[in-house]
Amino acid sequence: MSKFTCTLADLAFTLYARYPATERFCRDYLASGDGIAIAYSASEMAAECETTGMPPPLCELTLLYRKICRELLRRDGMVFHASVVAVGGRAYSFTAPSGTGKSTHAALWRRKFGPAAVMVNDDKPLLRLAGGEFRAYGTPWCGKEGLQNRIAVPLRAVAVLERAGVNRIERISGAEALPVILNQTLRPEEPEEMDRLLALCDRLARAVPFYRLGCTPDPEAADVACEAMR
């Protein structure tokens, strides 16, 4: 068992890991000192391997991130299944079920803005209410392409993607946004933690504009989205 500290969402976490690959995985986020302790038991590892069928090193990454997210929830933060790109010092998030085209659409933004567009995280960014605003944070848990940066960017808008034959975008209400947020984050089993998550999701839905984006994989989709979201 080894331990190391990394910084995520402006918080220090000390991870206890059994596999050297875990520290390498977190290399861009390593920090000195100690932080919030994150560890798992042998029984939790056995259950995770049995449930997922994944090898232990991958199960370790999943277990540790799940526990990080649980601690983060107690500090006004959560994981959000989305691809997030930053342009002009503001973060734009694209969320949808896996396989819908989040990464494809984020790539269109990078193509449109060139070096001015910076990937925050392509799969599982962290969102946290800090300094009176929601910020999007990069993490090493970022999808198979490894697109992420160790940055924190104010969240400007969120688009819920749908595949469509024509590019279109419309603003949706906080009430419509709330179930979307819940479906794209990690939901705890404990009632107290679930209440905390619901309250945080409600604040996010009220504070940040949400849109429904029907899009194609064509460059025009980024033009339509940018015009509304920026």
Side-chain angles (χ1 to χ4, degrees), residues 64-75:
L64 291 174
Y65 201 41
R66 188 181 299 143
K67 289 176 177 290
I68 287 169
C69 294
R70 184 175 181 179
E71 292 292 338
L72 187 65
L73 181 57
R74 297 175 180 138
R75 297 160 177 84

Side-chain angles (χ1 to χ4, degrees), residues 104-105 107-109 111 164-167 215-225:
T104 298
H105 188 75
L108 293 178
W109 280 56
R111 175 178 173 180
V166 178
N167 295 304
C215 59
T216 70
D218 302 321
E220 181 196 10
D223 297 333
V224 170

Side-chain angles (χ1 to χ4, degrees), residues 145-229:
E145 299 299 328
L147 299 176
Q148 56 79 25
N149 282 282
R150 186 176 172 173
I151 55 177
V153 188
L155 183 59
R156 175 65 183 85
V158 178
V160 184
L161 268 61
E162 300 174 348
R163 290 180 179 176
V166 178
N167 295 304
R168 63 182 187 276
I169 189 169
E170 61 179 353
R171 181 80 178 265
I172 62 175
S173 68
E176 292 175 287
L178 187 56
V180 172
I181 302 170
L182 285 171
N183 285 333
Q184 300 295 357
T185 191
L186 183 65
R187 286 179 281 188
E189 295 180 359
E190 295 76 8
E192 182 181 347
E193 291 187 356
M194 189 64 192
D195 288 344
R196 186 178 290 115
L197 176 63
L198 286 170
L200 185 62
C201 291
D202 183 66
R203 294 186 71 174
L204 175 61
R206 293 173 183 272
V208 177
F210 276 72
Y211 298 84
R212 181 177 292 108
L213 174 62
C215 59
T216 70
D218 302 321
E220 181 196 10
D223 297 333
V224 170
C226 286
E227 184 176 352
M229 295 175 71

